[in-house]
Amino acid sequence: MIRLIATDMDGTFLDSQKKFDKSFIDLFYQMKEKNIKFVIASGNQYYRLYQKFLPLSDQMYFIAENGSYIAKGTTELHCDVISYQKVKEMVHILSQYQRIFIILCGRKGAYILKDYFAYKNEVKKYYCAYSFIDSYDEIHDDIMKIAIYDKEQHIQDLLDEIRQQLPDGVKIVTSGNEWMDIQNQHMHKGVGIKFLQDTYQIKSEECAAFGDQMNDYEMLQEVKYAYAMSNAVQPIKDIAYKVIGSNDEQAVLKKIEDILND
């Protein structure tokens, strides 16, 4: 019996217009009736995810910032922080690349230099609690992740070069063609899934998860029923229990309906 269902957002649960079908609302209440925990697992900011699912948010679980922030509704369950010294060092490294800008993702909000205000609309897609600042010295917050946006949308070209310069104890992973995320080496969505499994005594074979990108890899490894989207990158398909339809076909909702009807 399935007791937990987790899904990535962009490229998985959401279609190309960043939307999901309203039939989800009925499915959500069916999951509630069957005591199935529904989890949104995303590289996105917690506040943005919470806002996206109102008024259901208080009844849902969130694994945000690729596992760094875990919450049930408005209740924080876990938060993983990068050391101040490492954040400072990485900001210095990344500042040499003119084609990118970075977002420091904190517990209280996200922070972007005012130099990149022109990209506000792009920021708003993924963040709702954010500030444009003159200097990183203005930040008084715990930083969980550094998000990197490539204005040329070829993030893979920079991946290896940046990775070689990073301090020990952190890692970098792609999240589509435009974004990369840096966070603590041990941190990924799978940590969030394992945390919920341990907290609520849920077995791997009682879990299903959906994903499409490499930041979903460890999450899919933590569950028996790992579903890859047809639009997923090949390594995700390689480890999947099954490859289903695309995000634009609302394949996640169709599979959830199948699970509920089993």
Side-chain angles (χ1 to χ4, degrees):
M1 183 180 73
I2 297 298
R3 296 177 57 201
L4 182 149
I5 296 175
T7 181
D8 170 52
M9 286 283 277
D10 298 295
T12 302
F13 189 78
L14 302 180
D15 64 21
S16 298
Q17 304 304 312
K18 307 294 184 186
K19 296 178 180 179
F20 59 89
D21 193 271
K22 297 307 177 188
S23 63
F24 165 71
I25 297 172
D26 181 57
L27 291 175
F28 178 77
Y29 284 113
Q30 289 183 50
M31 285 187 278
K32 286 283 290 180
E33 287 175 11
K34 291 178 178 286
N35 293 316
I36 297 172
K37 291 175 169 48
F38 183 73
V39 184
I40 292 296
S42 174
N44 291 358
Q45 182 188 54
Y46 160 73
Y47 301 104
R48 182 73 182 89
L49 298 173
Y50 184 90
Q51 179 191 63
K52 188 85 174 176
F53 287 93
L54 287 170
L56 305 177
S57 306
D58 283 340
Q59 306 171 67
M60 295 168 57
Y61 293 82
F62 298 93
I63 298 172
E65 308 286 13
N66 286 331
S68 293
Y69 192 86
I70 306 170
K72 178 185 179 183
T74 57
T75 303
E76 178 184 310
L77 300 178
H78 178 74
C79 181
D80 185 81
V81 176
I82 305 173
S83 73
Y84 172 79
Q85 186 57 42
K86 285 180 181 176
V87 171
K88 186 175 180 181
E89 186 176 344
M90 289 186 289
V91 167
H92 176 72
I93 291 167
L94 296 170
S95 65
Q96 66 186 299
Y97 296 96
Q98 298 301 311
R99 61 186 262 192
I100 66 172
F101 72 85
I102 66 174
I103 301 176
L104 300 192
C105 306
R107 199 182 217 134
K108 294 183 285 189
Y111 308 91
I112 313 102
L113 290 179
K114 287 181 180 176
D115 295 351
Y116 303 104
F117 188 80
Y119 293 92
K120 182 179 180 180
N121 287 338
E122 188 64 31
V123 172
K124 284 170 64 177
K125 291 179 185 178
Y126 307 100
Y127 302 88
C128 65
Y130 60 88
S131 303
F132 283 93
I133 55 177
D134 290 310
S135 166
Y136 294 120
D137 294 335
E138 297 176 27
I139 300 173
H140 302 286
D141 196 359
D142 295 323
I143 301 302
M144 300 177 285
K145 187 186 78 176
I146 298 178
I148 303 168
Y149 179 76
D150 180 9
K151 293 173 281 186
E152 296 182 12
Q153 301 187 7
H154 293 291
I155 206 77
Q156 195 73 37
D157 297 345
L158 297 173
L159 181 63
D160 289 338
E161 187 176 342
I162 292 174
R163 180 182 283 133
Q164 291 170 12
Q165 301 176 69
L166 294 178
D168 291 340
V170 298
K171 66 177 180 181
I172 187 167
V173 63
T174 59
S175 182
N177 295 322
E178 305 165 21
W179 293 93
M180 288 189 290
D181 296 321
I182 299 175
Q183 53 199 140
N184 284 325
Q185 184 72 45
H186 62 274
M187 191 49 53
H188 47 72
K189 293 181 187 180
V191 171
I193 295 295
K194 191 69 167 61
F195 177 90
L196 294 176
Q197 288 172 337
D198 291 345
T199 300
Y200 298 105
Q201 298 298 296
I202 299 173
K203 299 174 183 176
S204 173
E205 56 266 32
E206 297 174 316
C207 300
F210 302 86
D212 73 312
Q213 288 289 333
M214 289 309 293
N215 64 342
D216 300 316
Y217 194 90
E218 293 89 351
M219 172 176 73
L220 296 181
Q221 288 184 311
E222 289 293 342
V223 307
K224 178 176 180 179
Y225 300 101
Y227 296 102
M229 313 307 291
S230 63
N231 51 284
V233 296
Q234 192 58 46
I236 293 297
K237 292 179 179 178
D238 290 343
I239 64 165
Y241 173 80
K242 188 176 181 180
V243 177
I244 59 173
S246 74
N247 62 317
D248 283 323
E249 296 170 313
Q250 296 291 327
V252 171
L253 296 186
K254 292 175 183 176
K255 180 51 68 175
I256 290 175
E257 187 173 12
D258 290 344
I259 292 170
L260 291 170
N261 289 332
D262 274 352

